[in-house]
Amino acid sequence: MREGKHEHRGHKEHRDNYGHPHDDSKRNFQSAQTFRRGRAIAFLDRLNIKRSTLLQQLDQPEFESIKPVICGELKATDAIIQEFIQAFELREVLAEQEITTEGADLTHDNH
């Protein structure tokens, strides 16, 4: 019988220590949202690395024979990046990228 009271007290302590149950769900939602946003930004970083690799390949003589293919992949990657930014509302990330890549040619029509 005494055991039951101890368990009940433990449950009350649990409730007292963590506040209102809706506070926990709100906090969990925000942390999950932050986690998902972090994963989206990480994926965007990987897309930008692929884009950089394609840009480097355009300037390398050993890829001269497939330059049109690389240019097409680069344009497709740029389109995917733009759609991804819009879909996940990552506009501030785009603003940061524009600052770091000022003057970069995004159309690649000259290749």
Side-chain angles (χ1 to χ4, degrees), residues 5 14 16 26 29 43 50 56 63 68 76 79 85 87-88 90 109:
K5 287 183 180 180
H14 174 78
D16 290 343
K26 188 177 188 181
F29 174 75
F43 184 73
K50 290 179 184 190
Q56 289 174 358
F63 294 109
I85 288 169
F88 289 93
L90 300 173
D109 288 336

Side-chain angles (χ1 to χ4, degrees), residues 19-38:
H20 197 270
H22 293 292
D23 292 341
D24 287 342
S25 63
K26 188 177 188 181
R27 190 176 5 209
N28 288 340
F29 174 75
Q30 288 173 342
S31 65
Q33 196 173 26
T34 302
F35 175 74
R36 285 189 299 271
R37 183 172 180 78

